[in-house]
Amino acid sequence: MKVDEIFDALLENLKVGETSTTIAARRDEITKALNKDFRSVEGSTANRLMVGSYGRHTAIRGVSDLDMIYVLPAGLRSNYSSETGPRRMLDRVRKDLTARYPNTGIRVDQCVVRVQFTSNKFKFEVQPAFENSDGSFDYPDTKAKSWKVTKPRAEITATKGCNDRTSTNMRHLARMARAWKDTNGVAMGGLLIDTLVHRFFSTTSEYDDKGSLWFDLMVRDFFEFLMNEPDKDYYLALGSNQRVNVKKRFQPKAKKAYNRCLDAIDKAGKASANKKWREVFGSAVPLQVSKSARSFKDTEEFIENQYPVDISESLEIDCKVTQNGWRTASLREMLKNKTLLLPNKGLDFTITECNIAYPYVVKWKVLNRGDEAERRNNIRGEIISPNSFGNARHEETRFRGEHVVECYVIKDGIVVARDAIDVPISNSSA
């Protein structure tokens, strides 16, 4: 496939698609319920603003967090100006939405009312706010017991301005960056991604008028930009200049993506290029069909076909390598020292870092790669459950190849964290 064919297909597959109809219906019903209470108006869908990634039009398929501002009547401001005002306002919104959705999980979460729709596997975060004369909003914060300022319209305007200047490439790149984030378990919020994309385009005009034939070079340069960013605790958001926090360092995974881009560009026109782009952006990249010399069953499954994926939290896994008569070793340390595994080793994959509060579900994927896996008709790659204590997974080395094991954390029906580890085996058992 040509470069433009790969990236055109990728962007087409990343579109929110039919989900947008459901999102619009939920948004309108929430607005109607609030207008009925706050304005005594039946059936009105006015007085709301979609913000966040969806409002900036940089969301992708599988979007699970929908951010919405409900604009409050200005005449109520003085009634909720005391320390108890923020809590009373959010409780009022919660009661309105609970009456509309009595069987849905609805709760106050510091600054928003969270509505968790289990049937669609996404949640709305509804933020009641008073609009100011400059277009900003005052929103309630129960922790600070006060009203704070947010400027989502400035962020939407900055996104649109950059997108217009770059011939829509700003939103294209922001969506591809989200696909990279979700595929590689990068714990980044949507506003941080859009801010970094905006900063990247402020450093170059090279791609302002370029089409998808140039997107391989554009994403290569973007990941080079990311990997060279200095460590920061926060950035100033595009447009609003409000603080947007960095949850975890993204530079190491950006460097890995940059190297994969170089490899994919070098393989341009070959089926292996598509596979390499898949390592960067996931299964939304189409595969180029090539006839194998062997007959084998491709049993690989993809988590995004089973659950919405919206990576927002961090996860790390490791593996203890054991064999009778040998000292137990960490697989990550072996990889760091470029030590290859031998057959007949015990592998215990465990979660070593997870910042997600219970309850959640853990799934694993064990994928065998290479000629030997195809010869043995043993690709595996199914989404499977833990088979050991504490959400762990026990496996054993069998035959050579560049195998990979991946772990997923699923909360409220959404994959919120993932991590992967390479398992290179240098030889085969009989």
Side-chain angles (χ1 to χ4, degrees), residues 243-283:
R243 286 178 56 149
V244 52
N245 292 329
V246 178
K247 294 182 178 181
K248 193 170 184 179
R249 293 186 72 242
F250 51 79
Q251 291 87 341
K253 290 187 176 181
K255 183 177 181 180
K256 183 177 288 189
Y258 170 74
N259 288 327
R260 286 171 172 168
C261 289
L262 294 180
D263 200 2
I265 291 169
D266 187 58
K267 292 177 168 64
K270 301 177 182 177
S272 54
N274 295 56
K275 291 181 179 180
K276 190 58 63 173
W277 286 123
R278 272 201 166 200
E279 292 179 19
V280 181
F281 299 116
S283 61

Side-chain angles (χ1 to χ4, degrees), residues 367-394:
L367 179 65
N368 296 329
R369 291 174 171 167
D371 292 340
E372 190 70 8
E374 294 179 6
R375 186 182 71 81
R376 294 177 180 232
N377 192 23
N378 192 8
I379 297 295
R380 296 183 67 183
E382 301 90 344
I383 306 300
I384 51 180
S385 298
N387 64 356
S388 189
F389 179 75
N391 287 321
R393 182 80 198 176
H394 178 78

Side-chain angles (χ1 to χ4, degrees), residues 318-333:
D318 200 354
C319 175
K320 290 183 179 179
V321 182
T322 60
Q323 186 179 33
N324 290 337
W326 294 76
R327 181 173 63 87
T328 300
S330 159
L331 178 55
R332 290 208 181 273
E333 285 299 316

Side-chain angles (χ1 to χ4, degrees), residues 24 35 54 72 92 110 114 120 130 160 177 188 210 215 226 233 283 288 298 331 346 374 423 429:
N35 277 330
Y54 197 80
L72 295 165
R92 181 172 172 178
Q110 187 174 337
R114 180 170 294 179
N120 305 110
F130 293 106
K160 185 180 184 304
M188 298 174 72
K210 296 296 193 295
F215 282 5
L226 286 189
D233 293 328
S283 61
Q288 183 169 333
D298 188 352
L331 178 55
E374 294 179 6
V423 187
S429 58

Side-chain angles (χ1 to χ4, degrees), residues 217-233:
L217 304 183
M218 182 176 74
V219 297
R220 177 203 65 188
D221 291 353
F222 174 65
F223 288 122
E224 184 178 25
F225 165 79
L226 286 189
M227 75 184 200
N228 290 323
E229 277 290 280
D231 289 340
K232 294 183 179 181
D233 293 328

Side-chain angles (χ1 to χ4, degrees), residues 408-419:
Y408 317 94
V409 174
I410 303 153
K411 188 173 179 66
D412 297 326
I414 300 165
V415 180
V416 296
R418 70 193 294 177
D419 192 26

